[in-house]
Amino acid sequence: MGGEWQYGELGELVDFTPKRPLKKGVIAPFVAMADIPENSREIARITQKEFKGGGSRFANGDTLFARITPCLQNGKIAKVSELSGDEVAHGSTEFIVFGAKNHEYDQDFLYYLARSPIFRAYAESRMEGSTGRQRVSWQALAEYEFFIPPKSDRKTIGRLLASLDDKIELNRRMNATLEAMARALFKSWFVDFDPVIDNALAAGNPIPEPLQARAKARKALGDQRKPLPEAIQKQFPSRFIFTEEMGWSPEGWGISTVGDEVETTGGGTPSTKQPLYWEGGVHAFCTPKDMSLLSSLVLTDTERHLTDAGVKKISSGQLPAGTVLMSSRAPIGYLAISNISVSVNQGIIAMLPNPSYGPFYLLCWAHFNMDNIKDRANGSTFLEISKRNFRPIPFLLPSGPVLDFYNEQSAAIYSKVLLIAEQTAELTNIRDTLLPKLISGQLRIPDAEKLVADAI
């Protein structure tokens, strides 16, 4: 640690009660605790709400720090960047606002200090109140003592960590775009039946009433429709048939159930009171919570890991990479493709891909059939769909050549998604490793600059 680092209190850098004028009755941007995702610097949603006085008031550059349990433990900490100009927003009384006294040097530094494990542990140690509703005061946070870097170092530390987060966010957006492409192709072919409509229009065959609006829109596009390769287009039929199970669907395509076409399984949780199943575990163990925290559809790691003995306690054992996971309760509908061998708990239904139905096909099928899936759920405490109710869901069987072409296209997309997801996991690991070391001075800034430059 450099000699210029001076021991002091956080209150020297932060105005915990920044003057943010806002008149009662004014409609202004509002952020609720639910609008802050766990372990993300972004605010998920900003709404407009009347300001009635009190609460937190903040502007761009400020950090919102959840002071109430369990929100603090869950990492509900965000850096405000979405407001326009000098706009003032207001929010929950359970936010503590970190307003940097020196905006130029400290805004990013203070955000990452608030995220550091040591600071969050300190905040938890200063919580007061009843067990289920404890809070930490801003006065307690202002008394936090640490070695304060000189202002130029504070600016550099914030910049380095922010550059990693910027790259992580860029990767997230790239993957979101790629995933949307795969879903759009699936929807066009297997939900809206666009190629079949095109063939029916070309042949002068009747269009079923539920598909006529889609056909009209396709016809209006004329030459603007992006044609499929002729060899693929001709694999689609030119007529529709009606069945009780599927309604109107392409002629010649079969109908089965997801349970007959895809191997499905569930999981369980070995006793958490038995260290034999958990201590030193290296086998990934996925729960719906792991899926809820994903920034893309790829699962690259899990919060908890099982030992060999723990894996043996789950009837489905370890499922292979490429398995499609769907949360079956609390809530129903998180979806992911595992990039690793993984065991799952009782809140997940796993679908194992096969040569006909690849991972992206199964994930998209579940996405577009989610209403049907949820309709088959039941439960008094919370809705859950059992494997017994899941397996009979109708499952359309397109022709082999159509499936082959979709799997080929989606596999190309998935390889890109996977590459980006792996890079994101590496960047996240680097950020989480560097953060406490930079904040505490355990790592020299030139060494950190080289690590970041090599990573991005």
Side-chain angles (χ1 to χ4, degrees):
M1 187 187 307
E4 296 181 49
W5 290 51
Q6 301 294 323
Y7 200 66
E9 293 185 346
L10 183 57
E12 297 175 30
L13 303 181
V14 181
D15 182 358
F16 287 101
T17 56
K19 293 181 174 62
R20 306 291 190 203
L22 199 59
K23 294 182 179 180
K24 288 185 179 181
V26 169
I27 304 297
F30 175 81
V31 176
M33 188 66 72
D35 299 328
I36 306 294
E38 296 180 8
N39 298 307
S40 171
R41 67 172 174 170
E42 304 296 325
I43 296 175
R45 183 181 62 169
I46 297 179
T47 56
Q48 296 292 317
K49 187 175 180 179
E50 180 183 350
F51 176 65
K52 297 182 179 180
S56 56
R57 278 165 279 177
F58 46 89
N60 277 337
D62 290 344
T63 291
L64 304 182
F65 185 87
R67 71 187 186 103
I68 188 169
T69 148
C71 299
L72 191 159
Q73 293 91 333
N74 292 341
K76 283 182 170 280
I77 304 166
K79 183 172 181 291
V80 183
S81 61
E82 296 87 352
L83 304 178
S84 59
D86 296 328
E87 192 173 33
V88 175
H90 61 118
S92 167
T93 59
E94 305 301 351
F95 290 129
I96 293 177
V97 178
F98 286 44
K101 292 181 177 179
N102 190 322
H103 288 191
E104 180 183 357
Y105 291 93
D106 289 341
Q107 288 183 338
D108 282 330
F109 175 80
L110 291 174
Y111 166 73
Y112 289 105
L113 173 68
R115 292 212 74 93
S116 66
I118 293 176
F119 180 76
R120 288 169 63 183
Y122 168 83
E124 288 186 45
S125 73
R126 297 296 300 271
M127 282 187 158
E128 299 177 342
S130 61
T131 303
R133 204 70 174 166
Q134 291 185 309
R135 295 173 174 83
V136 63
S137 68
W138 70 262
Q139 293 90 341
L141 298 187
E143 295 171 356
Y144 176 69
E145 294 181 319
F146 69 112
F147 281 100
I148 302 175
K151 63 181 183 180
S152 60
D153 285 1
R154 298 199 299 269
K155 185 173 183 177
T156 301
I157 289 169
R159 173 180 58 80
L160 289 173
L161 294 171
S163 66
L164 289 169
D165 266 335
D166 288 343
K167 179 59 175 174
I168 290 169
E169 175 59 17
L170 177 61
N171 282 0
R172 185 194 68 79
R173 293 178 182 177
M174 290 170 60
N175 265 358
T177 299
L178 290 168
E179 293 160 16
M181 289 170 56
R183 286 195 300 271
L185 183 62
F186 184 97
K187 184 174 185 292
S188 175
W189 287 15
F190 306 119
V191 178
D192 296 330
F193 307 126
D194 288 337
V196 184
I197 289 174
D198 290 347
N199 285 348
L201 289 171
N205 293 331
I207 304 292
E209 193 278 331
L211 298 173
Q212 285 179 6
R214 185 74 180 179
K216 183 178 180 180
R218 297 289 296 173
K219 192 172 183 180
L221 287 173
D223 294 339
Q224 295 180 19
R225 283 180 293 177
K226 187 176 181 181
L228 293 174
E230 184 179 353
I232 297 300
Q233 183 70 47
K234 70 180 184 181
Q235 300 300 327
F236 288 87
S238 60
R239 292 182 182 273
F240 292 91
I241 60 170
F242 183 84
T243 63
E244 291 294 332
E245 300 92 339
M246 298 295 299
W248 290 101
S249 59
E251 184 181 55
W253 288 11
I255 298 173
S256 182
T257 65
V258 65
D260 285 338
E261 301 303 319
V262 180
E263 182 181 352
T264 60
T265 188
T269 301
S271 173
T272 56
K273 297 179 180 179
Q274 293 290 337
L276 175 67
Y277 302 148
W278 300 97
E279 286 189 5
V282 296
H283 305 294
F285 175 74
C286 185
T287 70
K289 180 182 177 182
D290 291 301
M291 299 170 70
S292 74
L293 299 176
L294 294 177
S295 59
S296 77
L297 58 78
V298 180
L299 179 76
T300 58
D301 201 1
T302 57
E303 181 180 13
R304 293 186 292 172
H305 297 79
L306 293 167
T307 62
D308 290 346
V311 171
K312 290 178 181 178
K313 294 297 291 184
I314 301 176
S315 60
S316 54
Q318 283 261 290
L319 303 172
T323 298
V324 176
L325 310 176
M326 183 192 78
S327 62
S328 56
R329 68 182 188 184
I332 298 170
Y334 292 137
L335 294 168
I337 301 173
S338 179
N339 183 40
I340 53 176
S341 297
V342 66
S343 297
V344 299
N345 82 343
Q346 59 275 15
I348 291 175
I349 291 177
M351 293 175 277
L352 278 66
N354 57 51
S356 295
Y357 305 102
F360 246 124
Y361 187 96
L362 295 179
L363 184 135
C364 290
W365 174 86
H367 174 82
F368 287 107
N369 281 274
M370 194 54 64
D371 287 344
N372 193 2
I373 292 170
K374 291 180 178 179
D375 285 345
R376 294 167 180 259
N378 51 49
S380 55
T381 305
F382 50 76
L383 285 179
E384 177 177 10
I385 181 163
S386 65
K387 295 186 294 296
R388 177 180 295 179
N389 289 341
F390 177 79
R391 287 171 175 148
I393 294 175
F395 193 84
L396 194 61
L397 306 178
S399 67
V402 169
L403 284 172
D404 290 344
F405 190 73
Y406 179 83
N407 287 331
E408 180 184 337
Q409 293 288 96
S410 63
I413 294 174
Y414 182 58
S415 66
K416 295 177 183 177
V417 169
L418 188 56
L419 184 64
I420 293 171
E422 290 173 343
Q423 183 191 47
T424 300
E426 182 180 355
L427 290 169
T428 301
N429 182 61
I430 291 172
R431 180 202 62 196
D432 293 346
T433 301
L434 290 183
L435 194 158
K437 292 183 177 181
L438 282 171
I439 293 292
S440 65
Q442 295 177 29
L443 182 68
R444 294 175 63 248
I445 286 178
D447 294 335
E449 288 178 319
K450 185 178 186 307
L451 284 171
V452 172
D454 290 343
I456 62 177

